[in-house]
Amino acid sequence: MIKESELILNPDGSVYHLNLNPENVATTIILVGDPDRVPRVSAHFETVEFKTQKREFCTHTGTYKGKRMTVLSTGIGPDNIDIVINELDALFNIDLTTRTPKATHTELNIVRFGTSGSLQADIPVDSFVLSSHGLGMDNMFHSYRDAATVRDLALEEAFITHTHWFMDKGRPYIIPCGQKLKAHILTSEVFEGITGTAPGFYGPQGRVLRLAVQDPQLNDKLHSFNHKGHRMTNLEMETSAIYGLSALLGHQAVSLNAIIANRPTGTFTKDPKQAVERLIAFGLERLSSF
């Protein structure tokens, strides 16, 4: 039995942070960062059966073209993803009454709809990127004993060598996306590559305001990394954590990003709202037939 201090439930039996009960969530789950983006996604649903919000975690569940889906906001960063993925998994794979893991595993299909900045000049603003891998530059995933079983260790070593990685920041980890979900979502109009997940927006992504960064050349190193055809495409703050925890827990996960900035060319989309709307429409259409 899992102790009350380890799996915390609210008085109504819902999981502590997300404020959800099992019947509130579909097995197809869209993750967005911003709570305000949740109603922008659910506005495309034909029906909305459930809504709730606690802190930054806003959830809507409904149907799109007859397929039941949930859209949930995570907030920003790998630490929030640790909460979201573990609690979503608990809703389906732990009996919340007896506090014991269920004998039958339920696989979730998890897709992130995000925005990101491109690291490659040939991936323009307003395009889409599907993350073939998530590269974690945080340390959250190393807290899990079996993390190495789902990592691409050879790709990690190549990245560490190429960037002369400063190991005081922790060892980078690289996780591939869910292959079944990728095969269904990926089309010729979508770029594919490694998405870097940073534990912050400024220094960890090479932005300099009043503080000098440890490696001023890091973004150039990310831009130039290419190992057996795998290159870095973009930077954000969630994908590697989603991929790592989903893989360990037996779920399919894919991250889709609308590119709103291009770091090499210094360009920014003229209409970020429209870029996100196009991504939502594309992602929902692909998911509706999965």
Side-chain angles (χ1 to χ4, degrees), residues 15 17-20 24-26 28-39 41-42 45 50 52-54 56-61 69-75 80-81 83-85 87-88 91-92 110-113 242:
V15 290
H17 296 92
L18 302 186
N19 204 37
L20 297 171
N24 304 143
V25 187
T28 296
I29 300 166
I30 298 160
L31 300 182
V32 298
D34 184 355
D36 289 340
R37 194 171 292 162
V38 171
V41 176
S42 67
F45 292 176
F50 175 81
T52 192
Q53 181 162 2
K54 184 178 181 182
E56 62 266 58
F57 307 113
C58 177
T59 305
H60 291 184
T61 295
M69 300 182 186
T70 292
V71 54
L72 186 157
S73 60
T74 65
N80 273 24
I81 296 302
I83 292 171
V84 170
I85 300 297
E87 292 194 4
L88 285 174
L91 289 169
F92 288 90
I110 300 169
V111 181
R112 167 171 155 77
F113 289 0
I242 294 170

Side-chain angles (χ1 to χ4, degrees), residues 118-120 122-123 133-135 137 159 162-163 174 192-197 219 221-227 229-235:
S118 171
L119 291 169
Q120 302 292 340
D122 67 320
I123 301 179
H133 300 74
L135 187 156
M137 294 181 278
F159 176 80
H162 177 81
T163 57
I174 301 180
E192 181 184 3
I194 303 170
T195 293
T197 296
N219 280 357
K221 294 173 182 177
L222 297 178
H223 166 83
S224 59
F225 177 67
N226 192 317
H227 181 69
H230 295 295
R231 66 172 182 162
M232 297 286 299
T233 49
N234 58 314
L235 268 177

Side-chain angles (χ1 to χ4, degrees), residues 12-280:
D12 65 355
S14 61
V15 290
Y16 182 66
H17 296 92
L18 302 186
N19 204 37
L20 297 171
N21 285 293
E23 64 270 18
N24 304 143
V25 187
T27 56
T28 296
I29 300 166
I30 298 160
L31 300 182
V32 298
D34 184 355
D36 289 340
R37 194 171 292 162
V38 171
R40 291 177 62 183
V41 176
S42 67
H44 294 257
F45 292 176
E46 290 100 17
T47 62
V48 176
E49 67 187 64
F50 175 81
K51 295 181 180 181
T52 192
Q53 181 162 2
K54 184 178 181 182
R55 304 183 189 183
E56 62 266 58
F57 307 113
C58 177
T59 305
H60 291 184
T61 295
T63 56
Y64 177 80
K65 294 194 172 179
K67 187 177 183 69
R68 191 168 184 251
M69 300 182 186
T70 292
V71 54
L72 186 157
S73 60
T74 65
I76 298 173
D79 49 346
N80 273 24
I81 296 302
D82 184 60
I83 292 171
V84 170
I85 300 297
N86 274 293
E87 292 194 4
L88 285 174
D89 177 78
L91 289 169
F92 288 90
N93 291 304
I94 296 174
D95 185 317
L96 300 184
T97 301
T98 64
R99 295 178 171 275
T100 56
K102 295 180 179 178
T104 302
H105 177 265
T106 298
E107 181 182 75
L108 305 178
N109 296 306
I110 300 169
V111 181
R112 167 171 155 77
F113 289 0
T115 56
S116 187
S118 171
L119 291 169
Q120 302 292 340
D122 67 320
I123 301 179
V125 296
D126 300 322
S127 62
F128 302 154
V129 167
L130 184 149
S131 308
S132 64
H133 300 74
L135 187 156
M137 294 181 278
D138 62 290
N139 291 308
M140 183 278 293
F141 193 55
H142 294 307
S143 297
Y144 293 92
R145 185 189 63 191
D146 296 325
T149 63
V150 298
R151 288 161 42 198
D152 190 326
L153 299 177
L155 196 53
E156 288 177 11
E157 289 294 341
F159 176 80
I160 290 168
T161 299
H162 177 81
T163 57
H164 302 286
W165 188 259
F166 183 55
M167 295 304 287
D168 281 8
K169 294 193 291 188
R171 181 187 171 94
Y173 62 91
I174 301 180
I175 317 286
C177 69
Q179 298 302 299
K180 289 188 296 184
L181 199 51
K182 168 189 162 180
H184 186 80
I185 291 177
L186 190 63
T187 70
S188 59
E189 66 185 287
V190 179
F191 290 89
E192 181 184 3
I194 303 170
T195 293
T197 296
F201 184 77
Y202 290 97
Q205 295 190 38
R207 291 182 172 91
V208 177
L209 301 184
R210 291 203 313 117
L211 295 175
V213 296
Q214 178 271 325
D215 185 354
Q217 283 76 49
L218 179 58
N219 280 357
D220 291 335
K221 294 173 182 177
L222 297 178
H223 166 83
S224 59
F225 177 67
N226 192 317
H227 181 69
K228 296 183 177 179
H230 295 295
R231 66 172 182 162
M232 297 286 299
T233 49
N234 58 314
L235 268 177
E236 46 85 90
M237 296 179 65
E238 288 82 32
T239 292
S240 65
I242 294 170
Y243 282 11
L245 291 172
S246 295
L248 279 183
L249 291 165
H251 306 304
Q252 290 283 304
V254 158
S255 183
L256 284 173
N257 277 275
I259 298 300
I260 60 172
N262 186 293
R263 301 290 288 276
T265 63
T267 53
F268 192 83
T269 180
K270 291 181 171 54
D271 193 343
K273 182 177 180 180
Q274 182 58 29
V276 171
E277 284 298 319
R278 288 180 54 248
L279 181 73
I280 291 170

